Amino acid sequence: MRILIVEDEPTLGRQLKSTLEQNGYAVDLSTDGEDGHFLGSTEDYDAVILDLGLPEIDGLTVLGMWRKEGRKFPVLVLTARDSWSDKVAGLDAGADDYLAKPFQTEELIARLRALIRRASGNSSSELIAGDVRLDTRSGRVTLKGEPVKLTAQEYKLLSYLLHHKGKVVSRTELIEHIYDQDFDRDSNTIEVFVTRIRKKLGADVITTIRGLGYSLDDPAAVRG
């Protein structure tokens, strides 16, 4: 899952980026509204963490511009002002959730997970496809109840496919959502990760749709 953080406090921004990366997210960090708006308008993100008090262009304006441009990713608004009017303004501008500073990082991550799940149509924190289960809270992956160890990139790829279960996902889409902006993106590595996941979870867990990409679905749905 790829996240954009737009936060002008350098220390907080770096801390959030580091924490989210440790939790398996690919993260881009912007420190002002103009750059943040550009990234949100030109890159594909699974969610955005947006501070309201930004230089150049304020957060509410950035959010309104994204929504007018048809950008539908979920947005978690951060505000240093815990007043009902700021919350209402953020929600009315198109925010999906808000969090007042100071906050606990654990709460932010939990809210972020929930936003991403809802955006992809998943209500549970556990993503399931046949005998494969991925717990988004703990990052634990199991096969028939037994834990399976995945690398960070393998986990990101599996998580993205599980969040979009039953849909065909192209290589390009996977690259855009499991790597951050500064990563050296190579489409050939996607096939390498898919091969490794198949070795660990079963040859049929991910289906290659020739010329289109990859799909992950429940075995029963595939047989049907």
Side-chain angles (χ1 to χ4, degrees):
M1 295 290 142
R2 189 176 175 198
I3 308 298
L4 172 62
I5 300 171
V6 191
E7 169 59 63
D8 66 320
E9 295 181 27
T11 301
L12 177 58
R14 288 193 298 269
Q15 288 175 344
L16 288 176
K17 185 176 190 297
S18 176
T19 300
L20 290 176
E21 287 174 341
Q22 291 171 19
N23 280 267
Y25 296 97
V27 184
D28 293 330
L29 174 61
S30 176
T31 57
D32 67 72
E34 185 174 0
D35 180 63
H37 169 254
F38 175 78
L39 288 174
S41 298
T42 57
E43 300 284 340
D44 287 323
Y45 294 100
D46 296 289
V48 174
I49 299 171
L50 177 67
D51 184 35
L52 291 187
L54 295 171
E56 306 299 335
I57 307 175
D58 70 86
L60 282 178
T61 300
V62 170
L63 178 55
M65 293 165 68
W66 282 335
R67 295 313 192 211
K68 287 180 181 178
E69 294 163 0
R71 308 300 280 177
K72 298 180 180 180
F73 41 64
V75 175
L76 172 62
V77 163
L78 302 181
T79 175
R81 301 159 292 182
D82 191 16
S83 71
W84 67 267
S85 58
D86 291 323
K87 297 172 184 176
V88 169
L91 293 171
D92 283 346
D96 298 272
D97 200 357
Y98 63 85
L99 200 55
K101 299 177 183 177
F103 53 81
Q104 295 295 321
T105 305
E106 291 80 3
E107 180 180 2
L108 180 141
I109 293 173
R111 287 175 178 269
L112 194 62
R113 284 197 302 260
L115 288 179
I116 293 172
R117 287 200 310 269
R118 290 199 295 268
S120 58
N122 296 289
S123 57
S124 173
S125 61
E126 191 172 51
L127 307 177
I128 303 171
D131 295 325
V132 176
R133 293 173 178 260
L134 185 153
D135 190 325
T136 59
R137 296 167 299 181
S138 65
R140 188 170 184 261
V141 176
T142 60
L143 175 65
K144 296 181 179 179
E146 295 298 319
V148 177
K149 188 174 182 179
L150 300 180
T151 67
Q153 297 299 348
E154 290 165 2
Y155 177 88
K156 290 177 184 178
L157 192 151
L158 178 66
S159 175
Y160 191 82
L161 290 177
L162 281 169
H163 273 92
H164 298 83
K165 188 170 67 174
K167 301 176 182 178
V168 178
V169 181
S170 69
R171 281 192 185 189
T172 300
E173 183 176 345
L174 283 170
I175 290 169
E176 289 175 344
H177 287 266
I178 70 172
Y179 295 133
D180 61 42
Q181 187 184 28
D182 298 326
F183 198 92
D184 184 15
R185 303 175 182 183
D186 181 356
S187 63
N188 293 325
T189 60
I190 297 297
E191 183 61 36
V192 173
F193 296 144
V194 169
T195 300
R196 290 179 183 172
I197 292 171
R198 284 171 173 159
K199 287 181 179 178
K200 295 178 180 181
L201 298 178
D204 298 330
V205 67
I206 298 174
T207 302
T208 299
I209 311 298
R210 190 172 298 277
L212 296 176
Y214 304 95
S215 178
L216 188 154
D217 209 337
D218 287 311
V222 174
R223 288 195 297 270

